[in-house]
Amino acid sequence: RLLKMEEFFPESFRLDLKDERNAFFKLCKEEQIWICKPSSSNQGRGIFLLKTPAAVNTLQAKLCSTKEYLFNKNMSDKAPQARIVQRYIEKPLLLEGKKFDVRSYLLIACTAPYVLFFAQGYVRLTCVNYDVASDDLTVHLTNQSMQRKNSLYNQLKDETVWTMEHFNSYVNEKFGKSNRLPKDWVFTVFTKKMQQIMLQCFLAAKHKLACKLGYFDLIGCDFLIDENFKVWLLEMNSNPALHTNCKALREVIPAVVYESL
């Protein structure tokens, strides 16, 4: 069964497309949180939150001034910077009070014919407890590059990444009975949902892929689970980090690289 986008992907708009840009600014009149990020960047660079109508108005004015600048420079054919705004999921599931997401992997091992593989990844947690009202990005973004900016990172480094086995045991113990989850929900229901979403995204994009003997790509896929155990795809990364700067990553990353090759 094909999923509808709204079933697994937070409402999103591309700011470099006029119709989507206008639709977002027309929609965004109330107090709600959006996350704005470049469409081709990594390590959390250029990401910020839009929490108020005033912040949205400031962004709109900035985009208009950029457009006017390009027009005055006879560059009116250029689009504004490629960014997306995505509805922020304000009530994520928390682990020990901390926000987390899951990085898993899709390997496009071959494009002629297509051969796809899935690999379990790891869980990325923040250093400090979640507070939706916080202006500290290290509370909202879980990736290691962002967590390094938190003063507690060196002290808590090994606690910011869990293996999937640790995550599965934690969910069984803390949420299994109270949420009536099947045993090993992480390795059954959650894993199947990640695979279904990955496959659907691949099918949607495969016509844009360059197909040539020898081409392959390892894609990092980031998933968030909300407090109702609904699974959301946040983004897919064509250049996933392969650092091994903490204990769990030293277990996971070399195996993923070795198996990919």
Side-chain angles (χ1 to χ4, degrees), residues 16-252:
D16 57 318
L17 298 181
K18 182 180 178 181
D19 289 348
E20 292 201 22
R21 186 166 66 246
N22 291 342
F24 169 68
F25 288 123
K26 184 177 180 181
L27 168 73
C28 198
K29 300 297 182 186
E30 301 173 3
E31 291 278 344
Q32 51 194 322
I33 304 177
W34 296 81
I35 184 166
C36 185
K37 48 190 175 181
S39 60
S40 56
S41 185
N42 57 15
Q43 300 183 340
R45 285 188 288 250
I47 294 179
F48 55 88
L49 299 183
L50 296 166
K51 292 186 173 184
T52 63
V56 173
N57 291 338
T58 299
L59 175 64
Q60 186 174 19
K62 184 177 179 181
L63 289 175
C64 286
S65 64
T66 301
K67 188 177 177 183
E68 186 175 331
Y69 170 81
L70 293 173
F71 179 80
N72 291 336
K73 293 285 186 179
N74 293 321
M75 300 163 66
S76 55
D77 57 324
K78 290 191 179 276
Q81 182 185 14
R83 283 183 165 275
I84 71 162
V85 282
Q86 186 177 74
R87 189 179 289 278
Y88 186 79
I89 296 169
E90 297 185 35
K91 296 182 178 180
L93 185 67
L94 303 178
L95 303 180
E96 305 289 356
K98 297 176 174 65
K99 185 178 179 181
F100 74 96
D101 64 17
V102 174
R103 160 66 58 86
S104 289
Y105 297 97
L106 169 66
L107 174 66
I108 303 174
C110 183
T111 58
Y114 289 115
V115 181
L116 308 181
F117 291 96
F118 166 84
Q120 297 283 4
Y122 54 93
V123 179
R124 313 184 297 184
L125 299 89
T126 59
C127 291
V128 294
N129 285 1
Y130 178 67
D131 175 9
V132 69
S134 175
D135 291 326
D136 180 358
L137 276 180
T138 67
V139 171
H140 301 281
L141 303 180
T142 62
N143 59 300
Q144 288 282 292
S145 296
M146 185 58 64
Q147 291 308 305
R148 279 195 204 101
K149 298 177 181 179
N150 191 291
S151 59
L152 296 173
Y153 177 75
N154 288 333
Q155 176 186 338
L156 302 173
K157 181 169 65 173
D158 283 333
E159 297 175 30
T160 62
V161 180
W162 289 7
T163 63
M164 294 299 283
E165 289 76 16
H166 181 183
F167 180 42
N168 182 61
S169 298
Y170 185 92
V171 170
N172 281 343
E173 181 182 343
K174 298 290 185 179
F175 302 116
K177 285 186 179 179
S178 59
N179 293 82
R180 297 181 179 178
L181 301 177
K183 182 173 170 54
D184 296 331
W185 178 87
V186 168
F187 289 131
T188 54
V189 177
F190 177 52
T191 294
K192 286 179 182 177
K193 181 63 74 173
M194 287 193 292
Q195 292 172 338
Q196 182 184 18
I197 292 170
M198 286 181 185
L199 178 59
Q200 187 164 326
C201 290
F202 168 78
L203 293 174
K206 74 172 188 176
H207 68 284
K208 295 182 178 181
L209 298 179
C211 299
K212 190 175 179 180
L213 193 62
Y215 276 20
F216 71 96
D217 202 358
L218 180 68
I219 298 172
C221 306
D222 298 339
F223 294 91
L224 184 141
I225 302 165
D226 69 19
E227 63 178 11
N228 297 315
F229 285 84
K230 182 176 174 63
V231 178
W232 297 93
L233 172 69
L234 297 180
E235 60 185 35
M236 302 179 84
N237 304 272
S238 61
N239 184 24
L242 298 174
H243 304 300
T244 54
N245 58 324
C246 62
K247 185 174 182 294
L249 293 178
R250 286 192 288 274
E251 290 182 36
V252 175

